[in-house]
Structure formats: structure tokens, C-alpha cells
Amino acid sequence: MALEIFTIYVLVECIWLILPAYAANGLVPLVKGRRRLDFGRNFTDGRPLLGPGKTIEGLLAGCAIGAIIALIQQLAFPYLPWGISDRPLNIAPMTPLLGFLLGFGAMAGDAAGSFLKRRLGLERGKPAPLLDQDDFIAGALLSASLLVAVRLEWAILLLVLTPVIHFAACIIGYLLKVKKEPW
Ligand code: CTP
Ligand code: MG
């Protein structure tokens, strides 16, 4: 049987799982961290290991945000209208521990992305299309797989859809003149 990926069922299932990671990644810029995750150290190439955009406060906040959003999902679960689906959905049992793993994994994947960017000579904040949008997704899914069976179709849909949503939001922001550039 062919893998069904671009369906509303897979979409609902994977958004349910990734929500704590989206929240962690989206809210962490509000944390004005000062303690660098790389302790200001450089790699053998003389460039920063991770750079000033990755902080310990950010990592801790990401874990906490993930756990809090997951707790809200866990509490909301019984009240959500799952019955309107015409086939049973594969909804991951959301718990604060799973949310913590998603938040931690998002921050770890994001830091791995920064490590790669620094090795490519890209300074902090310079865009790396696809890597910037998918690094935290990959990290969150890997980390969550310690606790739940992460389905291949969830991973594919999230890795494809996240950059699409990101760039669409950027273009809308540009058209609404909220942003100066369309990226
Ligand atoms: N942030 C943080 N600690 C983390 C991750 C993110 O403090 N562990 C905050 C930083 O203020 C960062 C912002 O979230 O600037 C946005 O994150 P991101 O876009 O990943 O970082 P950039 O500043 O773009 O740096 P990089 O080029 O390394 O991705
Ligand atoms: Mg960035």
C-alpha cells in the first residue's frame, strides 16, 4: 500500500505531536538569554561553535514551554471533537514528559543547525533556507521517538510543510508591510 502523506488525517496527527516544539521554537526569541550555550568557545576552524544566538536560558525555556503546552494538550484532549473524523486517528498520548522531550529536541536540533551554519561560515542570524526551518523539527522528532512511535508520514509532512508555512507567512507579512523583506 502506498504511503498516504498529504491527507487531513496525517496533518492533524502530526500537528498534535509537534505543537510543543512549534511553541518552543516560536517563543524562545522572547527570552533574552545571555549565557551562551557554547560558553563563547570557537571550533577548530576559528569560528564560534554555535554563536551568540544559542543560550542556556533559551534551552531551559524551550524545555519548559514544551512541557507546558503538552500539559494543556493533555488536559484539552477529552474535550476535542476527535469523533468528527471518519477514521480513527493515531493521536500520540501527550504528556508533559513528551512535551519536555519535544522542547528539548527542538532546541538541540536548532543548535545543531547553528553548528552547521557556523561551519559554513554563516554568521548568527544569516538565513540558511530549509535548514533554519527544519532543524528543530528533526531534533524534536528524534527526541520524541524515545517515547512514542513517530510515523514516517508525520516526519515527511512536517519537514515539507514547515518551510512552506514559514515562507508563506513571510510573504504575507511583506504584503501587509509588517516586514521589510519578503523572507
Ligand atoms: N534563542 C536562545 N537560545 C536558544 C535558541 C534560541 O536564546 N537555545 C533565541 C536567541 O535570541 C536567537 C533567537 O532565539 O537569536 C532566534 O533563534 P534562531 O533564529 O535559531 O537564532 P539566530 O539568532 O538566527 O542564530 P543562528 O544563525 O545561529 O540560527
Ligand atoms: Mg535564525
Side-chain angles (χ1 to χ4, degrees):
M1 193 190 80
L3 204 58
E4 287 192 329
I5 298 172
F6 296 92
T7 66
I8 187 74
Y9 311 108
V10 177
L11 184 69
V12 169
E13 291 167 359
C14 73
I15 287 185
W16 174 262
L17 177 70
I18 209 68
L19 220 74
Y22 266 16
N25 186 69
L27 294 174
V28 81
L30 302 177
V31 180
K32 299 282 172 251
R34 305 175 128 264
R35 282 169 254 254
R36 281 175 57 164
L37 209 48
D38 64 5
F39 297 102
R41 276 189 218 142
N42 287 351
F43 193 58
T44 50
D45 55 10
R47 301 181 203 276
L49 199 57
L50 302 174
K54 305 295 109 129
T55 67
I56 295 173
E57 294 91 334
L59 172 65
L60 296 176
C63 296
I65 294 165
I68 292 167
I69 297 299
L71 175 64
I72 295 172
Q73 284 176 257
Q74 186 183 27
L75 296 174
F77 178 83
Y79 305 101
L80 295 173
W82 305 110
I84 63 173
S85 171
D86 57 12
R87 78 151 169 74
L89 295 173
N90 204 316
I91 298 298
M94 194 51 75
T95 59
L97 177 61
L98 179 55
F100 170 88
L101 285 176
L102 285 160
F104 175 82
M107 292 301 106
D110 176 57
S114 292
F115 177 81
L116 282 178
K117 284 171 72 175
R118 299 302 89 83
R119 304 291 72 76
L120 293 169
L122 291 167
E123 280 165 26
R124 180 250 182 107
K126 288 271 152 53
L130 301 187
L131 182 63
D132 277 335
Q133 291 81 44
D134 277 340
D135 52 7
F136 82 95
I137 298 284
L141 292 179
L142 274 176
S143 169
S145 67
L146 293 172
L147 211 60
V148 293
V150 174
R151 297 169 78 105
L152 180 63
E153 55 266 45
W154 297 349
I156 296 172
L157 188 56
L158 287 170
L159 291 170
V160 170
L161 220 55
T162 306
V164 171
I165 294 169
H166 175 87
F167 294 119
C170 288
I171 289 168
I172 291 168
Y174 174 72
L175 294 175
L176 293 175
K177 305 198 194 304
V178 180
K179 283 168 91 339
K180 282 205 177 71
E181 293 114 8
W183 51 80

